[in-house]
């Protein structure tokens, strides 16, 4: 992907008896990457749109998400540290600071939930701790007969943009992997990935919810 940025700066000075004007135009070519190891920054419009009802800016919307490590790579790294089944991976803030990390949830064979933090810059595991979850049986049932893993779902969704999260939707009739992607300029979109075929389709439920809210 190529984008051309044209920056024009014009400086004019009026002098007694005459005037001068200087114009400078610079055109740059920035070669983007289809790979998820990209730097994605929200546009000013998206930052404005992400204000909440109190007029505050969404902290996540103000951040620049830089990830040299893709979602699928973060999942692979987490599994090397903690074996089991990955149920979600998300770029998120650390609790004790502003640093963004990959947080990967792993359900081990003994039904213990683990939250593994992975550095988005180099893929190293920064730490892990166990979590208490009460939907283990529901998750196991949703994954029964599935053939697409979270890692594979993340790879499939990467064709739509930079994957910032992937997680299992075990609720309702149509169970699937859900992924959120972000494109250059900050545009976000949600996707569903079929648990057996790996087919990626746009998630219409959020759009329908937004339409319903607009009508209220």
């Amino acid at each position: 992907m190529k984008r051309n940025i044209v920056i024009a700066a014009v400086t004019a000075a009026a002098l007694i008896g005459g005037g001068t004007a200087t114009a400078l135009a610079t055109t740059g070519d920035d070669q983007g990457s289809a790979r998820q190891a990209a730097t994605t920054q929200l546009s000013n419009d998206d930052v404005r749109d992400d204000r909440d009802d109190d007029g505050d800016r969404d902290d996540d919307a103000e951040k620049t998400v830089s990830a040299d490590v893709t979602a699928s790579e973060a999942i692979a790294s987490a599994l090397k540290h903690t074996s089991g089944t990955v149920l979600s991976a998300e770029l998120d803030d650390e609790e004790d600071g502003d640093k963004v990390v990959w947080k990967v949830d792993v359900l081990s064979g003994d039904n213990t939930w683990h939250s593994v933090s992975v550095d988005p810059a180099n893929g190293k595991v920064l730490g892990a701790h166990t979590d208490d979850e009460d939907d283990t049986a529901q998750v196991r049932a949703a994954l029964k007969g599935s053939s697409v893993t979270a890692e594979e779902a993340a790879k499939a969704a990467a064709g739509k943009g930079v994957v910032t999260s992937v997680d299992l939707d075990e609720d309702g009739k149509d169970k699937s992997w859900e992924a959120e992607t972000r494109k250059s300029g900050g545009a976000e979109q949600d996707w569903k990935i079929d648990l057996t075929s790996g087919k990626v389709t746009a998630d219409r439920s959020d759009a329908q919810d937004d339409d319903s809210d607009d009508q209220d």
Side-chain angles (χ1 to χ4, degrees):
M1 179 186 302
K2 290 186 177 180
R3 59 181 180 180
N4 294 322
I5 304 174
V6 178
I7 303 173
V10 178
T11 304
L15 302 176
I16 298 176
T20 60
T22 303
L24 174 62
T26 304
T27 301
D29 230 3
D30 183 12
Q31 177 67 40
S33 174
R35 186 176 181 273
Q36 192 172 349
T39 299
T40 303
Q41 185 169 8
L42 297 181
S43 68
N44 291 334
D45 289 339
D46 290 317
V47 171
R48 286 193 292 269
D49 291 341
D50 282 327
R51 290 180 183 272
D52 60 22
D53 294 338
D54 295 329
D56 296 329
R57 293 178 184 273
D58 186 332
D59 290 339
D60 291 337
E62 288 183 322
K63 291 183 179 298
T64 299
V65 178
S66 298
D68 292 327
V69 176
T70 67
S72 59
E73 290 169 344
I75 291 172
S77 181
L79 286 175
K80 288 181 180 179
H81 181 274
T82 304
S83 61
T85 302
V86 170
L87 300 175
S88 70
E90 180 182 12
L91 272 174
D92 199 3
D93 296 339
E94 287 187 307
E95 294 179 357
D96 58 350
D98 293 333
K99 182 178 180 181
V100 176
V101 299
W102 281 109
K103 290 186 177 180
V104 183
D105 289 335
V106 182
L107 178 60
S108 61
D110 61 356
N111 288 335
T112 301
W113 290 76
H114 303 265
S115 180
V116 184
S117 297
V118 179
D119 194 320
N122 53 33
K124 293 183 178 179
V125 173
L126 301 174
H129 63 269
T130 58
D131 284 332
D132 294 327
E133 300 288 347
D134 58 4
D135 59 346
T136 301
Q138 185 178 356
V139 166
R140 294 287 192 196
L143 288 174
K144 186 176 181 180
S146 66
S147 56
V148 177
T149 65
E151 183 177 355
E152 292 167 340
K155 289 180 179 178
K160 304 296 185 180
V162 178
V163 177
T164 56
S165 71
V166 58
D167 65 278
L168 178 66
D169 178 13
E170 73 273 18
D171 297 323
K173 180 180 178 181
D174 299 325
K175 298 172 177 57
S176 64
W177 292 107
E178 291 185 333
E180 182 180 276
T181 62
R182 189 186 299 277
K183 289 188 176 181
S184 178
E188 295 180 359
Q189 190 163 359
D190 295 325
W191 306 90
K192 286 185 175 292
I193 301 93
D194 191 274
L195 290 173
T196 55
S197 67
K199 182 179 179 180
V200 181
T201 56
D203 185 355
R204 304 297 183 187
S205 60
D206 285 348
Q208 291 172 353
D209 290 342
D210 290 341
D211 290 341
S212 297
D213 293 338
D214 292 339
Q215 293 174 1
D216 292 342

